């Protein structure tokens, strides 16, 4: 049904007003103040304020409005308990009331039809089409919907009026497994077997073996006497979970990461399932500095055309400014001496005025490093650098293997 049709419906007066399930003696909280339900007079309720003993007279529609706006809560319990949301259906806005009135209109039409009410789908479809044509609506509800509305009408309309057609979110419970405890344990054991690298058939055999042991035990025989028939076979024994049930349980319980970590390996699972995020930048320079080395893409040759070799570069990069704060170049394979030389260059003031066109102020990077990020190379992961960090007062943060 379109929203324009719902908004144009006028809610009838009288006993069609939605009502709350109030009972004499209930505790009602209006704007946080507790009242006592004394009695009902026609379409109004007489409430007594527990502290001031003042009378409060409210209509059904007014109470529903307060409830829909969150200003009213009630329950049939002692006033020593805190108020909870009421367990009655409600219509909190005109659109919802119009939708309820529309449902009631269709239900009343099929119930009061001159030919008598029938549950035939064809008969209902014809009657619904007649009512939709009378209302001038292009679309109409299905026979199944009208039958469901009639069921709500028969169950609650005499008590709470149009509120009988409101959605009953308060009756929705938590979804959980309805399997016997033994089947739950069997599924858990099967899932564990699957995560250890077994196939889905191996896991199912694990569940079958456990249920077989339960049926042979005294507890299993006692359970078979009172268990629902749908969980028992022709001999009265507990049936094992099916293969499709096990597959659904694996999809529901086991995340892709856990599944791949158990069956293939943690490294593969982390690479295949991990998400990436950007770290926040530090507040000040030298707060976090990264260091790494790389061979330079140059071959050095002297004036006599003698090849000197390919140098290695160790660079210290500040994360706050993205500036190189220090470096070291050496022909030797990077080691502790090269790292210490680059660390000294990063901490102390640079002397670059011997280069044409540059002054010392052009590279104003010096200071104490607070956190130094290193990888697992031998030139970094050693006791010498750890001792130097303790002497110079900075923290060494070692990144996980194979994670730059």
């Amino acid at each position: 049904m379109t929203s324009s049709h719902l908004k144009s419906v006028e809610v009838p007066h009288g006993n069609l007003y939605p009502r709350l399930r109030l009972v004499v003696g209930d505790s009602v909280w209006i704007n946080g103040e507790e009242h006592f339900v004394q009695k009902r007079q026609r379409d109004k309720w007489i409430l007594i304020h527990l502290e001031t003993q003042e009378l409060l007279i409210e209509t059904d529609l007014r109470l529903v409005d307060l409830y829909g706006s969150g200003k009213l809560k009630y329950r049939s319990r002692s006033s020593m308990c805190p108020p909870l949301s009421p367990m009655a259906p409600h219509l909190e806005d005109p659109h919802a009331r119009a939708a309820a009135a529309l449902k009631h209109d269709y239900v009343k039409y099929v119930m009061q039809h001159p030919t008598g009410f029938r549950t035939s789908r064809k008969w209902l479809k014809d009657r619904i089409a007649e009512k939709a044509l009378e209302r001038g609506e292009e679309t109409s509800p299905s026979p199944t919907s009208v039958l469901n509305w009639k069921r709500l009408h028969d169950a609650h309309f005499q008590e709470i009026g149009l509120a009988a057609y409101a959605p009953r979110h308060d009756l929705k419970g938590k979804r959980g497994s309805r399997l016997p405890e033994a089947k739950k344990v069997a599924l858990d054991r099967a899932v564990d077997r699957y995560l250890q690298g077994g196939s889905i058939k191996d896991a199912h055999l694990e569940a079958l073996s456990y249920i077989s042991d339960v049926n042979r035990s005294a507890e299993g025989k006692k359970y078979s006497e009172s268990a629902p028939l749908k969980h028992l076979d022709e001999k009265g024994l507990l049936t094992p979970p099916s293969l499709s049930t096990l597959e659904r349980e694996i999809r529901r319980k086991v995340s892709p990461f856990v599944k791949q970590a158990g069956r293939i390996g943690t490294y593969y699972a982390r690479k295949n399932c991990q998400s990436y995020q950007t770290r926040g930048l530090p507040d000040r320079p030298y707060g976090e500095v990264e260091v790494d080395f790389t061979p330079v893409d140059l071959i050095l040759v002297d004036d006599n055309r003698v090849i000197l070799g390919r140098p290695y570069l160790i660079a210290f990069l500040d994360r706050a400014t993205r500036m190189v704060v220090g470096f070291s170049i050496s022909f030797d394979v990077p080691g502790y001496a090269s790292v210490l030389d680059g660390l000294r260059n990063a901490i102390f003031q640079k002397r670059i005025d011997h280069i044409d066109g540059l002054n010392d102020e052009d590279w104003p990077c010096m200071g104490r490093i607070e956190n130094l990020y290193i990888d697992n190379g031998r030139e970094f992961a050693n006791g010498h650098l750890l001792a130097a960090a303790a002497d110079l007062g900075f923290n060494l943060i070692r990144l996980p293997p194979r994670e730059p």
Side-chain angles (χ1 to χ4, degrees), residues 300-319:
L300 299 185
V301 181
D302 67 358
D303 296 337
N304 298 324
R305 297 184 178 275
V306 176
I307 298 177
L308 300 179
R310 186 179 182 183
Y312 287 91
L313 169 68
I314 293 181
F316 291 77
L317 181 68
D318 179 67
R319 294 195 65 248

Side-chain angles (χ1 to χ4, degrees), residues 17-41:
Y17 274 134
R19 299 189 292 273
L20 298 177
R21 279 198 174 98
L22 286 181
V23 180
V24 175
D26 281 356
S27 295
V28 178
W29 286 262
I30 300 178
N31 294 324
E33 298 180 353
E34 187 175 0
H35 296 74
F36 177 79
V37 179
Q38 187 183 43
K39 63 178 181 179
R40 177 179 176 84
Q41 285 186 346

Side-chain angles (χ1 to χ4, degrees), residues 227-361:
L229 294 178
K230 63 180 180 180
H231 295 302
L232 303 178
D233 59 12
E234 297 177 353
K235 299 180 181 180
L237 300 177
L238 183 65
T239 57
S242 63
L243 184 61
S244 59
T245 300
L246 176 59
E247 292 174 345
R248 287 195 301 270
E249 190 75 3
I250 291 176
R251 288 195 300 267
R252 185 177 69 89
K253 283 188 174 181
V254 182
S255 67
F257 175 82
V258 175
K259 177 180 176 180
Q260 295 177 11
R263 296 176 61 81
I264 304 176
T266 304
Y267 174 71
Y268 176 84
R270 290 170 64 180
K271 288 296 182 184
N272 195 38
C273 302
Q274 70 181 352
S275 60
Y276 296 89
Q277 64 182 19
T278 304
R279 286 172 46 87
L281 294 178
D283 298 332
R284 54 189 177 276
Y286 278 78
E288 295 180 3
V289 176
E290 302 170 353
V291 59
D292 204 353
F293 82 94
T294 181
V296 181
D297 292 334
L298 294 174
I299 302 295
L300 299 185
V301 181
D302 67 358
D303 296 337
N304 298 324
R305 297 184 178 275
V306 176
I307 298 177
L308 300 179
R310 186 179 182 183
Y312 287 91
L313 169 68
I314 293 181
F316 291 77
L317 181 68
D318 179 67
R319 294 195 65 248
T321 61
R322 307 305 299 172
M323 189 171 188
V324 175
V325 296
F327 71 95
S328 172
I329 295 180
S330 172
F331 285 107
D332 298 331
V333 177
Y336 171 68
S338 302
V339 175
L340 194 61
D341 185 46
L343 186 63
R344 185 183 299 108
N345 181 257
I347 295 176
F348 295 131
Q349 184 178 4
K350 282 68 174 175
R351 300 296 182 185
I352 57 174
D353 53 3
H354 61 282
I355 302 176
D356 294 340
L358 294 180
N359 299 317
D360 293 345
E361 292 78 10

Side-chain angles (χ1 to χ4, degrees), residues 40 45 83 117 120 161 163 197 215 220 255 290 378 396:
R40 177 179 176 84
W45 287 99
F117 173 73
S120 168
N215 286 330
S255 67
E290 302 170 353
R378 293 182 179 180
L396 275 180

Side-chain angles (χ1 to χ4, degrees), residues 291-293 314 333-336 339 373-386 396-403:
V291 59
D292 204 353
F293 82 94
I314 293 181
V333 177
Y336 171 68
V339 175
Y373 287 81
I374 63 173
D375 59 18
N376 290 270
R378 293 182 179 180
E379 66 278 5
F380 302 125
N382 56 66
H384 300 292
L385 185 59
L386 187 63
L396 275 180
I397 300 178
R398 187 172 179 177
L399 298 174
R402 294 191 255 185
E403 287 193 9

